[in-house]
Amino acid sequence: MTVIDTPAPTRTAPGTRISGLDGIRGLAALYVVVHHCWLLSFPGYPANHGPSWLGWLIHGRLAVVVFITLSGFSLAIAPARNAWQLGGTWRFARRRARRILPAYWAALAASAVIAAVVPELPLSAPPTVRSMVVFGLLLQDAVAAPAPNGAFWSIAVEAGLYLAFPLLLLLRRRAGATVTLAVVTVPVVLAGLLTPGLATGARALGYTLELAPLFTIGLLAAGIVAAGVRIRRLPWLGLATLAALPILTLITLRGSAWTVTHYYWVDLAVGPAIAMALAAVATRRPRRLVGLLDSRPLRALGGFSYSLYLIHMPIVALISTQLVAPRTETGLTTFGLTVLLVIPLCLPAARLFAALFETPFQQRPGWSSGVPRRP
């Protein structure tokens, strides 16, 4: 499982940055890296063949839920403060293209080279003309093709949700939050009920529609930045905890195999808890938690989390299968050594990659990371 790109608030226009969001993004990205170390160390997914105390590392898909919800939330902060006005669809599209495409295309080229040189590498496939065209045009959620990097499925999902973002803002402005959420969520629920195989079967395509409610609930939760004092003072973190407890209990009781085959519904159930947790961070409550999330190391980690997501998969696969696994006997030893080698390599590599392929495209006049400047 993977995480996906969200806008980096570290370079937003004055007054639009929400403290703590970078920290959430950075921790989620780091979790995904460790998840893939776990995945290659204990084969047999979705069953957990590792120690029970490491079972929480199996659910990389939940990091996708966090990133999708956070993406909608981050993108909607400035519009929520401006009566849900986007500030120009074309400007938004150009900003998003600059934000994700240069780094994505660079990572796609690098991943293709690695997959071609080491064709037996897990979580990837040797590139073909078809796969490079499909992935280069971000069509992988609609057109099947071998993946040079198994993490890239979610980039197409994010791109599809970007296309829907202006329409969602228009609907929120004209019809309100309840109608907006219903218009997006009801079709997904009906599709899952009427087509059971859609909700329980593993598939390679069609995740944009499935994950759209999460993006939408994040977008709507961004309204907290313009809400009145009474709404902002609600115990959002406590409410998030209450909302999360039932689904986390169910995941614990039913096990990983059941959870993975029911992610369609699990995602929908956990989305509101994540949105309320984001509302808590946006209102800076509790302050100690927000202060920790906004600490310099976590803020820096969040700043290059997109690059970390893009490049970590081949690094993890190479170290685990080519270097560690042939020299270890147990999965736990393999996992521990893989993590010890991957983290010190991935973090500086991702920071350098971001400096080359992200930062130069964000430091342009009139550009911000995911939110428009007010006219």
Side-chain angles (χ1 to χ4, degrees), residues 298-311:
L298 290 184
R299 198 165 62 240
L301 179 61
F304 60 83
S305 59
Y306 177 45
S307 287
L308 180 61
Y309 154 67
L310 288 174
I311 70 170

Side-chain angles (χ1 to χ4, degrees), residues 62 65-66 69 214 217 240 243-244 247-248 251 265-276:
L62 295 183
V65 176
V66 171
T69 310
L214 304 173
I217 199 171
I247 188 62
L248 293 179
I251 290 172
W265 302 113
V266 170
D267 294 347
L268 291 175
V270 78
I274 296 170
M276 286 187 282

Side-chain angles (χ1 to χ4, degrees), residues 234-245 276-277 280 285-286:
L234 288 174
W236 290 109
L237 188 60
L239 293 172
T241 302
L242 289 175
L245 279 176
M276 286 187 282
R285 299 172 65 191

Side-chain angles (χ1 to χ4, degrees), residues 168 171 178-195 198-199 208-213 216 264-265 268:
L168 291 173
L171 189 58
T178 302
V179 172
T180 302
L181 187 60
V183 166
V184 177
T185 305
V186 170
V188 175
V189 172
L190 289 177
L193 293 174
L194 297 176
T195 314
L198 178 69
T208 302
L209 177 64
E210 176 181 337
L211 297 174
T216 303
Y264 191 97
W265 302 113
L268 291 175

Side-chain angles (χ1 to χ4, degrees), residues 91-345:
R91 291 176 59 203
F92 169 78
R94 287 187 300 155
R95 265 192 306 271
R96 290 290 82 203
R98 276 190 178 274
R99 177 70 183 93
I100 69 169
L101 289 179
Y104 170 69
W105 282 333
L108 176 60
S111 298
V113 170
I114 294 172
V117 173
V118 191
E120 71 276 10
L121 204 64
L123 307 177
S124 65
T128 64
V129 173
R130 176 185 176 88
S131 67
M132 295 306 291
V133 171
V134 168
F135 279 81
L137 296 177
L138 289 170
L139 298 175
Q140 57 265 37
D141 195 46
V143 180
N149 184 321
F152 286 174
W153 69 271
S154 52
I155 290 290
V157 173
E158 189 82 355
L161 294 172
Y162 290 161
L163 294 177
F165 184 69
L167 297 176
L168 291 173
L169 288 181
L170 177 63
L171 189 58
R172 171 61 182 87
R173 189 167 68 248
R174 298 283 180 84
T178 302
V179 172
T180 302
L181 187 60
V183 166
V184 177
T185 305
V186 170
V188 175
V189 172
L190 289 177
L193 293 174
L194 297 176
T195 314
L198 178 69
T200 59
R203 63 188 193 281
L205 309 174
Y207 287 99
T208 302
L209 177 64
E210 176 181 337
L211 297 174
L214 304 173
F215 183 81
T216 303
I217 199 171
L219 179 155
L220 298 175
I224 192 70
V225 301
V229 174
R230 183 177 65 86
I231 299 297
R232 291 178 61 83
R233 285 183 175 175
L234 288 174
W236 290 109
L237 188 60
L239 293 172
T241 302
L242 289 175
L245 279 176
I247 188 62
L248 293 179
T249 301
L250 186 62
I251 290 172
T252 302
L253 294 177
R254 299 304 296 267
S256 61
W258 179 90
T259 302
V260 169
T261 57
H262 291 82
Y263 271 146
Y264 191 97
W265 302 113
V266 170
D267 294 347
L268 291 175
V270 78
I274 296 170
M276 286 187 282
L278 294 176
V281 172
T283 56
R284 297 191 62 82
R285 299 172 65 191
R287 289 188 177 274
R288 288 186 178 180
L289 175 61
V290 176
L292 175 63
L293 291 172
D294 200 43
S295 61
R296 181 175 294 181
L298 290 184
R299 198 165 62 240
L301 179 61
F304 60 83
S305 59
Y306 177 45
S307 287
L308 180 61
Y309 154 67
L310 288 174
I311 70 170
H312 82 275
M313 184 78 84
I315 295 176
V316 170
L318 284 169
I319 289 178
S320 177
T321 62
Q322 306 297 309
L323 182 60
V324 176
R327 296 170 174 82
T328 55
E329 296 182 358
T330 66
L332 186 57
T333 303
T334 301
F335 172 74
L337 288 177
T338 301
V339 171
L340 287 175
L341 293 173
V342 162
I343 299 301
L345 180 59

